[in-house]
C-alpha cells in the first residue's frame, strides 16, 4: 500500500461562500459560477483500512458522508476512523470533534496548550465515550495504525480567541505542522494549514517531502481590507500570505521536488477563481489549488 490523502475540505473558517459575506467571490459561489468549498480538513491512510483525520472541521459530517472510504461498516457501528491529529485549537479545526462523539477508542493527538485549552470539551466528549488524548509533540514522534510515523513541528504561536487571558498566556507550540511518513515506501506528507511565518523548520520539512499541503489563507497581506472593509488585515490573524517579499510562494519555489498544494483558502482569496491572474501566477510557480474531495497518492 501507499499513503493516500483525501482533501475533505479546503476553505478557511466559515467555508466558501461564507454565510455572512457578500464579497464578489462569495456572490459568485452562491450563483454557481465558482465551486463551493467546505472548511479545511483532510484524511490520511497508509493501508487503505485505518484512516486518520487531519483536523476536524465543523463540516465533518458532510465531508465523511461524501467520502466512500470513510463510510462505516462492515458492522453496524464499525468505522475506519482511528483518530484525529489537531494542528491547533481554532474553532474551524476542532468543532467537528463533536460529530465523532460516542465513537469508542478514538485517539486524539494535539500539542499540550491545545489539549489544555480544550479541557472542557474533552470532559464533555469523554462522557459519550472515553478517548485517548496524546501529546503530538512527544519526543521521537508517534506511529499510527496503518504504518505511518508522525512528528509535529511548531509553525505558529497564535492563541485562539476563546482562550481566557490570551495576552498573558505563555507563548507555546499553539500551532503545529505534521510530517507523516510511510514506513513501507518512505513517502512523506507535510501538512501545515496554519503558518504564522516561514522558518528554517518549514524549509527542512519541505526539502524532505513528496507532498506539501500548505496554508493558503490569504493571497496578499492587504487582502481582507481590499475585499471586505477598510482596516481589516491579515497580519493579526496568524497566517502567512501567499505573495509578498516574505510570502510562502517564493519559499515553496525552493522545493520543486515536492508536490505543493495550497489549502485553508479564505473566502476573500482570489485563488478560489480558476480564471484569476492569481491562480495563473501560482501555477507558474508549480503550486496547485485542488477541489474538495481530491485524492492524492504518495
Amino acid at each position: 500500500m501507499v499513503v493516500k490523502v483525501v482533501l475533505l475540505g479546503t476553505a478557511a473558517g466559515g467555508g466558501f461562500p461564507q454565510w455572512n459575506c457578500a464579497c464578489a467571490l462569495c456572490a459568485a459561489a452562491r450563483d454557481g459560477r465558482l465551486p463551493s468549498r467546505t472548511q479545511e480538513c483532510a484524511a490520511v491512510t497508509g493501508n487503505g483500512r485505518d484512516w486518520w483525520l487531519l483536523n476536524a472541521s465543523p463540516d465533518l459530517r458532510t465531508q465523511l458522508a461524501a467520502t466512500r472510504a470513510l463510510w462505516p461498516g462492515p458492522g453496524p457501528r464499525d468505522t475506519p476512523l482511528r483518530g484525529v491529529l489537531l494542528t491547533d485549537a481554532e474553532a474551524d479545526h476542532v468543532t467537528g470533534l463533536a460529530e465523532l462523539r460516542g465513537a469508542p477508542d478514538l485517539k486524539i493527538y494535539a500539542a499540550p496548550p491545545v489539549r489544555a485549552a480544550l479541557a472542557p470539551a474533552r470532559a464533555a466528549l469523554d462522557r459519550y465515550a472515553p478517548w485517548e488524548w496524546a501529546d503530538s509533540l512527544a519526543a521521537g514522534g508517534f506511529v499510527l495504525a496503518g504504518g505511518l510515523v508522525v512528528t509535529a513541528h511548531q509553525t505558529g504561536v497564535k492563541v485562539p480567541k476563546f482562550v481566557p487571558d490570551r495576552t498573558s498566556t505563555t507563548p507555546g507550540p499553539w500551532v503545529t505542522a505534521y510530517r507523516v511518513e510511510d514506513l513501507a515506501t518512505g513517502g512523506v506528507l507535510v501538512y501545515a494549514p496554519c503558518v504564522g511565518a516561514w522558518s528554517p523548520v518549514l524549509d527542512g520539512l519541505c526539502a524532505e517531502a513528496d507532498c506539501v499541503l500548505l496554508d493558503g489563507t490569504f493571497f496578499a497581506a492587504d487582502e481582507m481590507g481590499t475585499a471586505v472593509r477598510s482596516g481589516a488585515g491579515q497580519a493579526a490573524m496568524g497566517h502567512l500570505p501567499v505573495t509578498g517579499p516574505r510570502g510562502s510562494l517564493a519559499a515553496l519555489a525552493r522545493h520543486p521536488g515536492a508536490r505543493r498544494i495550497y489549502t485553508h483558502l479564505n473566502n476573500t482569496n482570489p485563488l478560489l477563481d480558476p480564471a484569476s491572474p492569481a491562480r495563473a501566477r501560482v501555477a507558474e510557480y508549480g503550486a496547485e489549488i485542488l477541489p474538495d474531495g481530491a485524492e492524492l497518492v504518495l
Side-chain angles (χ1 to χ4, degrees):
M1 297 296 296
V2 295
V3 177
K4 181 180 288 187
V5 184
V6 179
L7 306 186
L8 300 178
T10 53
F16 180 66
Q18 187 168 296
W19 73 273
N20 62 343
C21 185
C23 72
L25 287 169
C26 285
R30 289 191 181 93
D31 290 343
R33 289 177 283 127
L34 291 178
S36 297
R37 293 172 183 263
T38 58
Q39 294 169 86
E40 185 272 324
C41 185
V44 62
T45 182
N47 60 7
R49 299 185 305 276
D50 301 293
W51 285 86
W52 296 85
L53 295 178
L54 301 168
N55 288 330
S57 89
D59 300 317
L60 185 57
R61 180 184 178 280
T62 298
Q63 294 166 342
L64 295 177
T67 308
R68 180 179 291 272
L70 302 179
W71 289 359
R77 291 288 185 175
D78 290 343
T79 173
L81 293 181
R82 302 294 175 252
V84 184
L85 282 62
L86 298 175
T87 59
D88 50 67
E90 296 294 338
D92 57 316
H93 285 161
V94 304
T95 310
L97 292 173
E99 295 291 344
L100 304 177
R101 66 189 183 278
D105 303 323
L106 293 185
K107 191 165 186 176
I108 316 298
Y109 288 92
V114 174
R115 289 187 294 147
L118 296 179
R122 291 170 55 188
L125 291 168
D126 282 349
R127 292 182 67 87
Y128 291 90
W131 294 346
E132 181 179 353
W133 293 78
D135 182 2
S136 62
L137 290 167
F142 50 95
V143 178
L144 301 177
L148 303 175
V149 61
V150 181
T151 53
H153 307 265
Q154 182 172 347
T155 57
V157 295
K158 181 188 174 188
V159 183
K161 289 184 178 180
F162 66 82
V163 175
D165 301 321
R166 295 172 67 233
T167 56
S168 62
T169 299
T170 302
W174 278 97
V175 184
T176 56
Y178 287 106
R179 180 188 185 275
V180 183
E181 181 177 358
D182 179 20
L183 291 174
T185 66
V188 174
L189 167 73
V190 171
Y191 175 73
C194 187
V195 174
W198 198 265
S199 67
V201 170
L202 274 172
D203 260 326
L205 291 173
C206 292
E208 299 177 342
D210 295 288
C211 181
V212 179
L213 291 175
L214 188 70
D215 185 350
T217 307
F218 299 106
F219 185 72
D222 62 350
E223 181 178 306
M224 288 286 285
T226 301
V228 184
R229 63 188 183 277
S230 178
Q234 89 41 246
M237 299 183 71
H239 294 282
L240 176 70
V242 172
T243 57
R246 299 180 181 177
S248 62
L249 190 60
L252 283 179
R254 297 195 290 267
H255 305 285
R259 187 173 183 184
R260 295 151 292 173
I261 301 164
Y262 279 112
T263 189
H264 201 269
L265 306 171
N266 197 58
N267 62 293
T268 57
N269 193 327
L271 291 175
L272 293 165
D273 184 353
S276 68
R279 184 74 76 92
R281 181 176 177 185
V282 165
E284 288 176 0
Y285 276 76
E288 301 175 73
I289 310 296
L290 298 180
D292 287 9
E295 295 187 6
L296 313 171
V297 177
L298 277 63

